[in-house]
Amino acid sequence: MTQAEWQSTATPPVVHETPPERKWWEYFLFSTDHKVIGIQYLVTAFFFYLIGGTLATAIRTELATPASDLVAPDVYNGMLTLHGTIMIFLWIIPAGAGLANYMIPLMVGAKDMAFPKLNGVAFWMIVPAGLALVLSFFLEPPQAGWTSYPPLSLVSGKVGEGIWILGLLGLGTSSILGALNFLVTILRMRVPGMGINDMPLFCWSMLATSGLILIGTPVLAGALILLAFDLLAGTAFFNPTGGGDPIVYQHMFWFYSHPAVYIMILPLFGAISEILPVHSRKPLFGYRAIAYSSIAISFLGLIVWAHHMFTSGTPAWLRMFFMITTMVIAVPTGIKVFGWLGTIWGGKISLNSAMLFALGFISMFVIGGITGVMVASVPFDIHVHDTYFVVAHIHYVLFGGSVFGIYAAVYHWFPKMTGRMVNETWGIVHFVLTFIGMNLTFMPMHELGLLGMNRRVAMYDPKFADLNMICTVGSYILAVSTIPFLVNAVWSWLYGEKAGNNPWRGLTLEWMTTSPPPIENFEVTPVLVSGPYDYGMGDRNPEVDAEEQETNVESPPGFIPPEEARAGS
């Protein structure tokens, strides 16, 4: 049997009836179905992304000219604080959790998450916490930045800062509950026959992410609680006027907040590892190396936090330790990148929306990773600390990495979630605008930082005006780029072409059920017939519609038709 013939038999027959479509209002109700909760996570995260993006556009408009001529200084500080907070804690992290909520039970062959009610509680904690943060902007904007360093955070207003702390505690609790659920689901609810080295790489990435959350988040919660005592009860854990040490807060904050970068990006690493083999029609290159590198990143991420504090009086010998450990993270990260390049090398690449965003993810993240190695170096970091070079670096990692990854994953799994295909033309328009806007906004910031422009300022030297204008124009293109995505997502969900159950002919278990899946995902326990990436690919025939693909396939070896399974049971 040729590889192409084998592939054609690897898609199991679909025997279940199409489940009734959910009503739109069901997504606004409390539910224990992981698929509903996954969609709720994604839509809520995108709602906050629009708010955070609006704030970013307003910030760039203020910075279009050297003078502070658009908003008052306290409003500008509030916009900076909430932009960073919303993008990290209400957009990227919840979006990753949304993808995982929808996909993890399907990928391991489970009916739902291990604790469905806890899953619903974790999501519904995000809504009031996020709305409270937004409300604080209108009551008294928190102004100490998303890091909220004392003593600045102790003197800039109690109401806004208090709400900021309360909101983050709610979001952190939600994150911990979600991580517990993912861990138990992945470790205890895999379908029989799926060993840990047979799991899709998205499961591996969520395993590493969940471990990081469970270790790091309680430390941040402790720092925030102590900060709240200083702010509201007059204690002096971090307040230097009472004998407290603000540097201790920085250690506790970064112990979580540097791993938070990996909490944000590891799920997208996993998603990219799912997308590339399918749309390149090649087996994944280096499965175990990529899987174990997620665990290595998770471990190393916990011992690098002080590289954010090279200018905070950190002893020279300690700087060397954190410089070396930070640079070592480039090794497992590089393993992933080389694994991805090996996967697409010589592949039959489909340049659809999912693949374009996946390739964009790799290129943007590599740029962010290289500048990450640069700022890990003590001499270089001291030179560019708190300049726009750091702003450029973090946005290439978090926007270029995480946001491109989220879009890639949404385009890849959109047919499974909705039963419809996206409009590829609008998807490509979305990618082109995002790619141009992203690079036009953040690439000039590298030079701004090297020239010495400080971050978190509303006024700057007029010699930086031209580069700032380019950044502002780029930010407008970036803002416009969300329109084709929004229109495409809504239109395609309502009127898009029927997707069929396995339009990409993937081999992971989420493609072995209907699109969208029924309430308990599978009519019978799915049977593994291959590893998640054990295929090559013959020619795709786009003229064969999805229904024909589903019905004109043979049963793969070992597949048990549902009617026989029921008779046997």
Side-chain angles (χ1 to χ4, degrees):
M1 179 180 291
T2 67
Q3 202 169 32
E5 289 169 339
W6 185 88
Q7 172 63 30
S8 70
T9 64
T11 304
V14 176
V15 294
H16 13 245
E17 297 178 354
T18 302
E21 292 188 3
R22 292 185 183 277
K23 306 296 182 185
W24 63 269
W25 46 264
E26 292 182 57
Y27 291 99
F28 291 87
L29 303 178
F30 187 87
S31 174
T32 56
D33 186 339
H34 72 96
K35 298 179 290 297
V36 174
I37 295 172
I39 297 293
Q40 288 173 331
Y41 264 106
L42 287 170
V43 173
T44 303
F46 198 79
F47 168 76
F48 284 112
Y49 174 58
L50 293 180
I51 295 176
T54 302
L55 291 172
T57 307
I59 291 168
R60 284 309 323 169
T61 303
E62 173 64 79
L63 294 171
T65 59
S68 176
D69 49 11
L70 181 67
V71 295
D74 61 329
V75 176
Y76 182 81
N77 288 339
M79 290 195 302
L80 274 181
T81 301
L82 285 182
H83 165 68
T85 306
I86 287 173
M87 288 305 201
I88 291 172
F89 296 104
L90 288 166
W91 159 231
I92 301 177
I93 292 178
L99 292 169
N101 253 290
Y102 202 104
M103 288 302 157
I104 290 294
L106 289 166
M107 284 183 157
V108 300
K111 293 180 178 179
D112 206 321
M113 296 286 283
F115 309 110
K117 291 182 180 178
L118 196 66
N119 200 24
V121 171
F123 166 73
W124 284 104
M125 293 185 74
I126 291 176
V127 178
L131 293 178
L133 283 171
V134 174
L135 180 65
S136 72
F137 182 78
F138 299 99
L139 294 177
E140 183 186 67
Q143 299 187 45
W146 79 277
T147 56
S148 202
Y149 281 171
L152 179 61
S153 56
L154 301 176
V155 297
S156 57
K158 290 185 177 180
V159 176
E161 192 63 30
I163 296 175
W164 184 87
I165 293 172
L166 190 63
L168 253 63
L169 287 173
L171 295 173
T173 306
S174 164
S175 192
I176 290 172
L177 297 180
L180 277 171
N181 227 339
F182 289 132
L183 271 182
V184 177
T185 303
I186 293 170
L187 295 177
R188 303 293 298 172
M189 298 182 68
R190 297 192 306 275
V191 71
M194 180 185 283
I196 197 158
N197 285 319
D198 301 315
M199 293 193 306
L201 285 169
F202 187 65
C203 298
W204 271 101
S205 69
M206 286 309 301
L207 202 62
T209 304
S210 301
L212 269 179
I213 291 173
L214 291 178
I215 295 173
T217 309
V219 178
L220 175 65
L224 294 176
I225 291 171
L226 296 179
L227 186 66
F229 273 113
D230 281 5
L231 181 73
L232 304 174
T235 56
F237 295 105
F238 307 127
N239 192 343
T241 61
D245 189 349
I247 299 298
V248 175
Y249 174 86
Q250 291 189 30
H251 279 289
M252 297 177 73
F253 178 84
W254 286 114
F255 183 80
Y256 165 82
S257 294
H258 184 81
V261 173
Y262 306 112
I263 290 171
M264 286 182 265
I265 207 160
L266 273 170
L268 287 320
F269 280 168
I272 297 301
S273 299
E274 301 298 327
I275 295 167
L276 294 180
V278 173
H279 298 281
S280 299
R281 300 311 183 194
K282 277 188 65 186
L284 188 81
F285 182 79
Y287 169 89
R288 292 200 179 192
I290 294 178
Y292 298 162
S293 68
S294 294
I295 304 301
I297 291 172
S298 182
F299 171 73
L300 290 170
L302 290 168
I303 55 173
V304 301
W305 76 91
H307 79 249
H308 294 271
M309 302 166 59
F310 286 157
T311 60
S312 300
T314 306
W317 65 270
L318 201 55
R319 286 176 178 175
M320 293 302 295
F321 171 78
F322 283 106
M323 181 178 77
I324 292 169
T325 53
T326 304
M327 289 183 172
V328 167
I329 287 192
V331 176
T333 308
I335 288 173
K336 287 187 183 297
V337 173
F338 283 112
W340 294 331
L341 295 179
T343 301
I344 63 176
W345 182 267
K348 195 179 177 94
I349 298 175
S350 298
L351 286 178
N352 52 29
S353 306
M355 192 64 176
L356 285 172
F357 272 102
L359 296 175
F361 168 94
I362 296 174
S363 60
M364 297 298 99
F365 182 77
V366 166
I367 294 174
I370 291 172
T371 55
V373 174
M374 294 168 71
V375 296
S377 171
V378 175
F380 188 83
D381 180 78
I382 290 175
H383 178 68
V384 300
H385 192 81
D386 269 348
T387 70
Y388 261 80
F389 190 92
V390 178
V391 179
H393 159 66
I394 195 171
H395 280 87
Y396 266 89
V397 172
L398 294 187
F399 192 98
S402 297
V403 178
F404 272 64
I406 291 170
Y407 281 137
V410 168
Y411 280 116
H412 177 66
W413 282 313
F414 190 88
K416 179 53 59 182
M417 294 177 176
T418 66
R420 307 270 182 172
M421 302 298 290
V422 291
N423 182 297
E424 286 294 336
T425 301
W426 282 107
I428 293 171
V429 170
H430 175 215
F431 169 76
V432 171
L433 288 174
T434 307
F435 191 84
I436 294 173
M438 156 81 201
N439 285 288
L440 210 55
T441 304
F442 300 113
M443 186 61 79
M445 291 183 185
H446 292 101
E447 186 173 355
L448 283 171
L450 292 173
L451 292 174
M453 179 171 167
N454 287 329
R455 62 193 295 197
R456 304 189 183 101
V457 294
M459 301 174 63
Y460 54 84
D461 192 314
K463 68 180 181 182
F464 301 130
D466 291 343
L467 287 173
N468 270 291
M469 181 56 75
I470 294 173
C471 296
T472 301
V473 171
S475 73
Y476 291 161
I477 297 174
L478 212 46
V480 170
S481 73
T482 57
I483 296 175
F485 172 74
L486 269 176
V487 173
N488 194 6
V490 174
W491 187 90
S492 296
W493 196 334
L494 295 175
Y495 308 111
E497 178 190 356
K498 295 276 187 182
N501 297 335
N502 192 1
W504 310 129
R505 299 171 69 185
L507 293 180
T508 40
L509 288 182
E510 78 269 24
W511 301 109
M512 307 302 165
T513 184
T514 58
S515 299
I519 289 179
E520 293 189 340
N521 296 340
F522 303 94
E523 290 194 354
V524 295
T525 303
V527 178
L528 288 181
V529 296
S530 70
Y533 314 107
D534 292 347
Y535 63 90
M537 181 60 200
D539 293 336
R540 293 181 69 193
N541 185 354
E543 297 178 356
V544 178
D545 62 29
E547 184 176 356
E548 189 176 349
Q549 287 185 34
E550 293 162 4
T551 53
N552 292 344
V553 293
E554 299 174 7
S555 300
F559 182 80
I560 304 174
E563 58 272 18
E564 294 183 16
R566 292 192 194 97
S569 62

